[in-house]
Amino acid sequence: MSSQRCPSYYNATIKQETHYPSLAGELSTDVVVIGGGLTGVAAALELAEKGYKVVLLEANKIAWGATGRNGGQVTGSLSGDQAMTQQLRKKIGSEAEDFVWNMRWRGHDIIKQRVEKYQIDCDLKFGHIQTAYQASHMHELTAMYDEAHRRGMGEQLTLVPKDEVPNYLGTTLYHGGLLNRRNMHLHSVNLCIGEARAAEQLGVQLFEHSAVVDIKDGAAATVYTANGKVTANAVLIAGNAYHKLARPQLRGMLFPASLGNCATVPLSEAQVEAINPHDLAVYDCRFVLDYYRLTADKRLMFGGGTNYSGREPKHVAKELGASIARTFPTLKGIDIEFAWAGMAGIVLNRIPQLGKVSPHVYYCQGYSGHGVATSHIMAEIVAKAIDGELSEFELFAGMHHWRIPMNEWVGNQALALGMMYYQLRERLR
């Protein structure tokens, strides 16, 4: 892959491009963070706020990987919530349900507070609707609505019956939906760059085009790049699906799935009013879903068609153009100005993975398509662990994860077959 930014809408609308140097020579610090996406940058900022000296090493550009290629949605749909709750019951008993529920919204609060504190211009907007692609999906949405009411969040949600969907979306595709006014959407690259600049102001040293080639752990940890090295008391690997570090320990735990995304030319006021008058972010309830929203300049950003084989799609604009036409027939044939793909880190049980590969080396990965919010939650937990507050970190580090003891290609094919099974089961319900 090229080390330059991909041809996405996000990268065409960066508020202030980054120009950090490449690492050369030797440094010593408290913590080295490997990866300049949302996880790494958020963790570096958390640690800097706690007073730590931090060096961040990015192989390409800040926000180059999945951070710069996603749908920009911040929602309470936490990946692996049921599996997480089941495992947590064995550790914390009846508190498990409350822990998972609160985690659904924790990323929202971190992002909102950070945007306000550091005045980050990232087109942050509120409002989201999860839609029922099949009539049976309404049972799931009704259960979510009922739980929100039980937990005092009812005023922020509205259950939308099928006949009221046209009030929100100009499509006949859905059988209803759940409107959530707490959920958000934003420009993820400008968020990440804004957090990186805040970290820099607090003393974090950031380096781009500084791929890590080796990590050695001993009395302290040393991280090596082609032209330099950094010694530290702690190292965080935060590259998600875009790194090959610590393979003996991490092999078979995480698999890359390709996500396609696109942005149309700007829509007219009439087109906006016809398809999405309330400026909502949207995704449906399927296992392999569509997700879309309006950008700040009123383009339709539309993603979907997740490829679990690990291969990048070859015809993103063509494939997503067909999905746009199916969803909004009035936009059939609309010009797509930007089209791109990215790799999400998929975990078999969907529970985010936190842990240590050696005494001084931590890892944080695996958000299974919900990374904008979850990255900030996990970054906060791992930063607290480095600072000595281990309770939440140990909960996640102690989670059982399935490991496929084969090469990545075989693992991806197994994952693809599994998703075919779930898609078939979904069609039959």
Side-chain angles (χ1 to χ4, degrees):
M1 289 185 175
S2 169
S3 64
Q4 300 305 311
R5 296 192 183 277
C6 75
S8 72
Y9 165 80
Y10 293 121
N11 291 330
T13 52
I14 289 174
K15 298 291 184 182
Q16 188 177 1
E17 180 58 277
T18 60
H19 299 286
Y20 295 111
S22 176
L23 178 67
E26 299 182 13
L27 293 174
S28 179
T29 190
D30 295 328
V31 184
V32 176
V33 175
I34 302 170
L38 284 171
T39 300
V41 170
L45 181 51
E46 292 274 357
L47 289 162
E49 288 176 335
K50 295 177 185 298
Y52 286 86
K53 291 172 56 182
V54 182
V55 169
L56 184 145
L57 302 173
E58 164 55 41
N60 300 290
K61 300 280 285 182
I62 297 296
W64 181 89
T67 292
R69 304 162 193 258
N70 57 67
Q73 300 192 22
V74 182
T75 74
S77 296
L78 188 66
S79 287
D81 53 350
Q82 294 182 10
M84 190 186 304
T85 302
Q86 185 176 4
Q87 292 202 39
L88 285 173
R89 285 196 192 107
K90 300 174 184 177
K91 302 173 184 293
I92 59 175
S94 60
E95 297 178 20
E97 283 77 8
D98 290 343
F99 182 89
V100 173
W101 174 261
N102 292 330
M103 184 158 288
R104 289 182 183 280
W105 316 108
R106 184 167 164 180
H108 299 58
D109 296 338
I110 295 170
I111 292 170
K112 183 173 180 290
Q113 291 165 8
R114 193 158 288 167
V115 166
E116 293 171 353
K117 180 177 181 179
Y118 294 108
Q119 295 296 292
I120 299 172
D121 185 357
C122 61
D123 305 332
L124 180 63
K125 296 184 280 189
F126 291 83
H128 173 271
I129 186 167
Q130 186 173 0
T131 57
Y133 204 88
Q134 298 174 193
S136 59
H137 291 154
M138 285 304 294
H139 300 298
E140 172 187 338
L141 297 180
T142 301
M144 293 169 61
Y145 175 77
D146 290 342
E147 183 176 12
H149 267 268
R150 287 196 303 271
R151 293 180 175 276
M153 208 179 109
E155 64 182 18
Q156 294 178 291
L157 278 75
T158 300
L159 199 61
V160 180
K162 183 175 182 178
D163 62 354
E164 292 183 16
V165 171
N167 296 334
Y168 300 95
L169 299 170
T171 179
T172 60
L173 206 56
Y174 306 126
H175 293 265
L178 183 61
L179 176 65
N180 186 313
R181 299 173 187 85
R182 187 170 182 176
N183 284 344
M184 308 183 294
H185 47 116
L186 48 75
H187 191 301
S188 56
V189 172
N190 282 333
L191 171 65
C192 188
I193 290 176
E195 290 183 291
R197 296 199 183 283
E200 182 183 21
Q201 291 167 8
L202 294 178
V204 174
Q205 294 178 271
L206 298 102
F207 298 91
E208 295 178 317
H209 305 296
S210 300
V212 172
V213 296
D214 196 14
I215 305 170
K216 295 189 183 300
D217 201 0
T222 303
V223 175
Y224 296 85
T225 68
N227 299 305
K229 67 178 184 179
V230 188
T231 301
N233 298 321
V235 174
L236 170 60
I237 301 173
N240 206 33
Y242 284 90
H243 78 90
K244 301 294 182 184
L245 299 169
R247 288 298 88 189
Q249 299 91 340
L250 300 180
R251 182 180 289 112
M253 293 180 62
L254 181 86
F255 299 93
S258 181
L259 308 175
N261 213 333
C262 72
T264 68
V265 295
L267 305 182
S268 68
E269 290 185 13
Q271 287 173 315
V272 168
E273 185 66 23
I275 69 164
N276 193 351
H278 301 286
D279 199 6
L280 301 172
V282 185
Y283 58 66
D284 62 65
C285 291
R286 293 175 296 169
F287 287 107
V288 180
L289 50 79
D290 291 334
Y291 49 94
Y292 54 89
R293 65 188 184 89
L294 296 172
T295 63
D297 56 355
K298 305 304 180 185
R299 302 169 188 271
L300 177 64
M301 181 184 288
F302 197 105
T306 306
N307 182 348
Y308 288 91
S309 71
R311 297 186 299 269
E312 286 197 359
K314 295 180 179 180
H315 308 290
V316 174
K318 181 179 179 180
E319 293 171 5
L320 293 180
S323 297
I324 290 172
R326 183 179 66 251
T327 308
F328 300 115
T330 59
L331 296 184
K332 183 177 182 179
I334 192 168
D335 289 337
I336 292 175
E337 189 167 345
F338 302 97
W340 64 96
M343 291 293 178
I346 304 296
V347 179
L348 293 181
N349 63 8
R350 298 301 198 265
I351 301 174
Q353 296 173 345
L354 296 183
K356 297 176 79 171
V357 299
S358 61
H360 298 99
V361 182
Y362 299 74
Y363 67 90
C364 184
Q365 62 184 24
Y367 314 132
S368 301
H370 294 275
V372 180
T374 310
S375 60
H376 285 80
I377 301 169
M378 297 301 130
E380 181 179 74
I381 291 173
V382 76
K384 286 182 177 179
I386 292 171
D387 192 42
E389 188 178 332
L390 294 169
S391 57
E392 291 181 323
F393 178 83
E394 288 178 343
L395 286 178
F396 280 93
M399 293 284 184
H400 172 73
H401 290 281
W402 295 101
R403 186 190 296 265
I404 298 180
M406 294 173 275
N407 66 39
E408 189 174 273
W409 183 88
V410 174
N412 270 110
Q413 309 323 303
L415 184 62
L417 286 172
M419 290 309 300
M420 288 174 62
Y421 163 75
Y422 281 110
Q423 286 179 277
L424 177 61
R425 193 176 75 170
E426 181 178 62
R427 293 192 188 103
L428 297 175
R429 68 173 175 164

